């Protein structure tokens, strides 16, 4: 094969599955049914990784529980993107002292982005002796082997060395839902935005082969999934590491050609390489949802440069214009960081004005969180947390107002939505999504879950739409 990226040989995955069988024999001796719990933090990529962890655990004979006292194996899949996520993980892992005391045979594993950072792995080693196993995102494919070492050698195992990463096909998956599915198309990130820890913990960009992605998409459609989200840290650079010239737009088209009634979504696009070809493909492919999540991070050219984003405000706005010309009803969402080091009041005003100009359907806003080892963490930052909080509150207010106005414009409209679950509330017992991904609450028969239906939007607020089945 002419591909350059590192792959894990299929025999290696087969060996991991043999280990799963050995672990099952050990755990299920005398008819016991071991229980596992997988606790996931962070982004959709982590959700997708947890489906692999559950796939392996199911092959080890485990059932699943959300009760940490009942679990024989606990895996915490961590996030490192902001300090807040790390604090939550450490707090919850600390609380597992009680469960392990009550059940000394319990095995506690930590994996994912947080523990791929050297200083965090060290901290776990020193201060969290209840943790038996630590492994980074690159070692996920050999989780069974690592777990078996813990079980047979009765020692703590740490596997989170520096690594560019590889691609492993054929890991068993246990998916969470029956309507929506994650489909990883690539791993890692090469962008090195100055605030972001991801490139350090998830390694270099590497794409799955188009035929592997298409085969998995076909399986999903055959299994009845109606909403498939293609995942990557930056899907727009899909294929750049492969020979054969298939880019992300081509991949969408390949999946669009699979017969069946389903939606294709994707996350996340970097504005640096969102091309007109991509927007044209989205417009032309009837199964591609008319939604793009295009994180702008800041509206100030000065800050965008300091962030190493490789686009400016004008380029970003031109992309939005191109996309909207091709897809007038396109839903656009974004991520914004408030309080990047040295962000002045003027810089922040530029962000506000950009948001007014674009009028996002929804915005995900974050206060800048310094990350160990990133360039931004060493930059001068004269503004206080209180200054940043004030800006954050102003941005939230703006975001809520615009979302509310956008949602109000849906009232009275008739639209096709995909019913995706139950809400647990009596009045509006079902949840659904519009083609653009907006949340709709409905009242109806739970048997509709998994179906596309027509609704009329009757009411709305900042966060959701309310509809009546036609
Ligand atoms: N501080 C705050 N927000 C961050 N993000 C990434 N790194 C940081 C950080 N250090 C945000 C970005 C990104 C989203 C997933 O998280 O907005 O798009
Ligand atoms: Fe968290 Fe980012 Fe890692 Fe996802 S990729 S788990 S958001 S650090």
């Amino acid at each position: 094969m002419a591909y350059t990226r590192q792959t894990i040989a299929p025999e290696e995955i087969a060996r991991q599955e043999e280990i799963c069988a050995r672990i099952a024999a050990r755990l299920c001796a005398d008819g016991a049914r071991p229980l596992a719990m997988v606790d996931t933090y962070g982004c959709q990529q982590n959700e997708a990784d947890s489906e692999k962890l559950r796939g392996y655990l199911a092959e080890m004979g485990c059932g699943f529980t959300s009760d940490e006292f009942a679990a024989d194996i606990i895996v915490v899949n961590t996030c490192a993107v902001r300090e807040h996520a790390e604090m939550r993980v450490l707090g919850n892992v600390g609380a597992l002292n009680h469960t392990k005391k009550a059940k000394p045979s319990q095995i506690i594993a930590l994996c994912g982005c947080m523990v791929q950072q050297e200083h965090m792995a060290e901290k776990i080693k020193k201060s969290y002796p209840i943790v038996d196993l630590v492994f980074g995102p690159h070692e996920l494919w050999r989780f069974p082997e690592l777990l078996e070492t813990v079980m047979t050698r009765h020692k703590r195992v740490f596997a989170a060395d520096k690594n560019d990463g590889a691609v492993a096909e054929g890991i068993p998956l246990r998916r969470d839902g029956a309507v929506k599915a994650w489909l990883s198309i690539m791993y890692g990130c090469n962008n090195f935005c100055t605030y972001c820890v991801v490139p350090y913990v998830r390694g270099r960009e590497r794409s799955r082969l188009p035929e592997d992605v298409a085969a998995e998409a076909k399986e999903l459609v055959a299994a009845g999934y109606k909403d498939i989200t293609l995942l990557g840290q930056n899907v727009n650079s899909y294929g750049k590491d492969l020979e054969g010239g298939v880019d992300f737009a081509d991949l969408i088209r390949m999946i669009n050609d699979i017969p069946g009634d389903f939606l294709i979504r994707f996350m996340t696009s970097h504005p640096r390489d969102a091309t007109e070809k991509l927007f044209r493909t989205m417009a032309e492919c009837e199964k591609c949802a008319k939604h793009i999540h295009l994180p702008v991070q800041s509206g100030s050219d000065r800050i965008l440069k300091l962030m190493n984003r490789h686009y400016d405000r004008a380029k970003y706005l031109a992309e939005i214009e191109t996309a909207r010309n091709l897809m007038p009803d396109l839903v656009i969402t974004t991520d914004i960081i408030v309080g990047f080091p040295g962000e002045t009041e003027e810089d922040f005003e530029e962000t506000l004005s950009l948001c007014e100009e674009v009028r996002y359907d929804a915005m995900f806003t974050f206060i800048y969180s310094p990350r160990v080892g990133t360039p931004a963490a060493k930059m001068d930052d004269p503004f206080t947390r209180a200054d940043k909080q004030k800006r954050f509150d102003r941005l939230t207010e703006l975001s809520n107002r615009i979302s509310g106005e956008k949602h109000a414009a849906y009232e009275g409209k008739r639209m096709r939505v995909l019913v995706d679950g139950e809400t647990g509330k009596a009045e509006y017992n079902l949840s659904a999504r519009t083609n653009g991904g907006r949340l709709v609450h409905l009242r109806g028969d739970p048997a509709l879950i998994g179906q596309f239906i027509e609704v009329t939007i009757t009411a709305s607020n900042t966060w959701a739409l309310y509809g009546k089945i036609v």
Side-chain angles (χ1 to χ4, degrees):
M1 237 186 303
Y3 301 102
T4 51
R5 87 239 197 288
Q6 286 269 15
T7 51
I8 305 296
E11 304 81 64
E12 275 296 335
I13 302 300
R15 193 171 67 82
Q16 298 302 318
E17 294 193 272
E18 279 163 27
I19 298 174
C20 288
R22 278 211 298 271
I23 295 178
R26 180 187 190 95
L27 290 177
C28 305
D30 46 286
R33 172 89 160 141
L35 288 174
M37 178 177 138
V38 179
D39 195 9
T40 311
Y41 295 77
C43 63
Q44 290 86 351
Q45 191 65 60
N46 258 19
E47 299 282 346
D49 285 349
S50 286
E51 293 184 341
K52 293 181 183 164
L53 293 166
R54 285 200 199 89
Y56 274 141
L57 287 162
E59 292 201 355
M60 294 172 198
C62 292
F64 292 91
T65 177
S66 51
D67 172 5
E68 53 269 78
F69 282 93
D72 299 289
I73 302 171
I74 297 182
V75 187
V76 186
N77 192 2
T78 66
C79 172
V81 86
R82 281 173 293 276
E83 190 187 10
H84 179 71
E86 294 187 331
M87 288 303 159
R88 275 177 54 222
V89 168
L90 292 176
N92 290 346
V93 171
L96 295 179
N97 266 309
H98 302 294
T99 65
K100 191 139 183 166
K101 206 169 256 165
K103 190 178 199 154
S105 65
Q106 186 172 60
I107 294 180
I108 299 176
L110 250 63
C111 65
C113 296
M114 184 182 101
V115 299
Q116 180 67 35
Q117 305 171 100
E118 222 174 300
H119 71 282
M120 273 298 173
E122 274 309 307
K123 189 181 182 114
I124 303 292
K125 202 176 261 175
K126 284 209 190 84
S127 313
Y128 293 80
I130 56 162
V131 175
D132 304 288
L133 168 60
V134 165
F135 59 102
H138 305 303
E139 320 293 338
L140 190 146
W141 66 271
R142 61 188 195 101
F143 164 55
E145 171 186 346
L146 299 169
L147 187 64
E148 190 183 48
T149 308
V150 172
M151 288 174 164
T152 56
R153 308 245 179 98
H154 305 286
K155 62 168 197 181
R156 304 175 83 196
V157 173
F158 285 76
D161 291 346
K162 276 207 171 60
N163 196 324
D164 279 351
V167 174
E169 293 293 343
I171 297 178
L173 276 181
R174 194 171 183 278
R175 294 188 194 272
D176 281 339
V179 181
K180 301 197 247 189
W182 308 121
L183 204 181
S184 298
I185 64 165
M186 60 188 299
Y187 309 97
C189 182
N190 287 356
N191 284 313
F192 290 95
C193 302
T194 53
Y195 51 80
C196 190
V197 75
V198 170
Y200 303 91
V201 290
R202 284 211 175 250
R204 299 289 62 74
E205 282 176 0
R206 54 232 188 257
S207 306
R208 293 178 67 194
L209 301 183
E211 53 270 35
D212 289 335
V213 175
E216 189 172 337
K218 270 189 203 127
E219 274 171 33
L220 290 171
V221 173
Y225 286 93
K226 298 283 185 253
D227 183 310
I228 299 174
T229 303
L230 310 180
L231 291 180
Q233 247 70 48
N234 173 21
V235 291
N236 295 345
S237 47
Y238 175 82
K240 286 184 181 165
D241 57 326
L242 300 179
E243 287 178 11
V246 175
D247 68 11
F248 182 53
D250 302 327
L251 189 73
I252 291 181
R253 214 176 270 284
M254 278 172 73
I255 299 174
N256 190 68
D257 285 342
I258 298 171
D261 193 7
F262 63 95
L263 282 171
I264 306 165
R265 304 185 185 279
F266 55 86
M267 282 269 255
T268 285
S269 286
H270 194 306
R272 160 191 197 164
D273 34 29
T275 57
E276 183 173 341
K277 177 178 173 188
L278 170 66
F279 297 133
R280 219 168 262 293
T281 305
M282 287 177 72
E284 286 168 9
C285 290
E286 73 288 355
K287 291 170 197 162
C288 187
K290 303 304 177 255
H291 168 215
I292 192 157
H293 183 64
L294 201 61
V296 69
Q297 311 299 358
S298 168
S300 152
D301 284 345
R302 195 180 74 82
I303 296 297
L304 287 172
K305 206 172 208 111
L306 288 173
M307 287 177 163
N308 193 32
R309 292 289 288 176
H310 294 279
Y311 57 85
D312 59 13
R313 180 185 175 105
K315 173 173 154 67
Y316 184 87
L317 289 172
E319 283 177 8
I320 298 284
E321 194 182 335
T322 307
R324 281 203 168 128
N325 283 338
L326 289 162
M327 295 168 281
D329 291 329
L330 182 67
V331 167
I332 305 176
T333 56
T334 201
D335 292 340
I336 290 179
I337 296 177
V338 173
F340 183 83
E343 180 194 71
T344 63
E345 185 57 28
E346 291 71 41
D347 293 317
F348 177 66
E349 299 274 347
E350 299 254 334
T351 297
L352 291 178
S353 76
L354 180 129
C355 295
E356 289 274 15
E357 207 169 327
V358 176
R359 290 182 58 79
Y360 292 104
D361 294 81
M363 293 162 45
F364 300 87
T365 50
F366 310 101
I367 292 182
Y368 169 73
S369 171
R371 305 285 70 208
V372 172
T374 59
K378 296 183 203 89
M379 293 180 190
D380 250 7
D381 194 2
F383 292 93
T384 64
R385 174 77 197 193
D387 294 328
K388 296 182 183 192
Q389 187 64 48
K390 269 191 219 137
R391 287 181 196 165
F392 181 81
D393 293 343
R394 282 167 70 196
L395 186 62
T396 307
E397 206 179 291
L398 175 73
S399 159
N400 289 348
R401 174 171 63 72
I402 296 174
S403 289
E405 288 167 5
K406 288 232 143 185
H407 283 169
Y410 283 86
E411 290 178 26
K413 280 196 181 152
R414 183 182 161 141
M415 37 202 342
R416 189 170 190 255
V417 300
L418 173 63
V419 183
D420 60 9
E422 291 189 81
T423 60
K425 300 214 173 77
E427 201 184 349
Y428 290 99
N429 60 320
L430 297 180
S431 66
R433 292 274 167 183
T434 66
N435 178 293
R438 308 316 297 146
L439 175 64
V440 185
H441 292 297
L442 299 170
R443 191 184 166 81
D445 186 345
L448 291 171
I449 293 169
Q451 292 184 30
F452 289 100
I453 60 168
E454 294 282 328
V455 300
T456 307
I457 304 301
T458 52
S460 70
N461 59 30
T462 307
W463 298 278
L465 308 173
Y466 294 81
K468 218 173 125 188
I469 299 173
V470 178

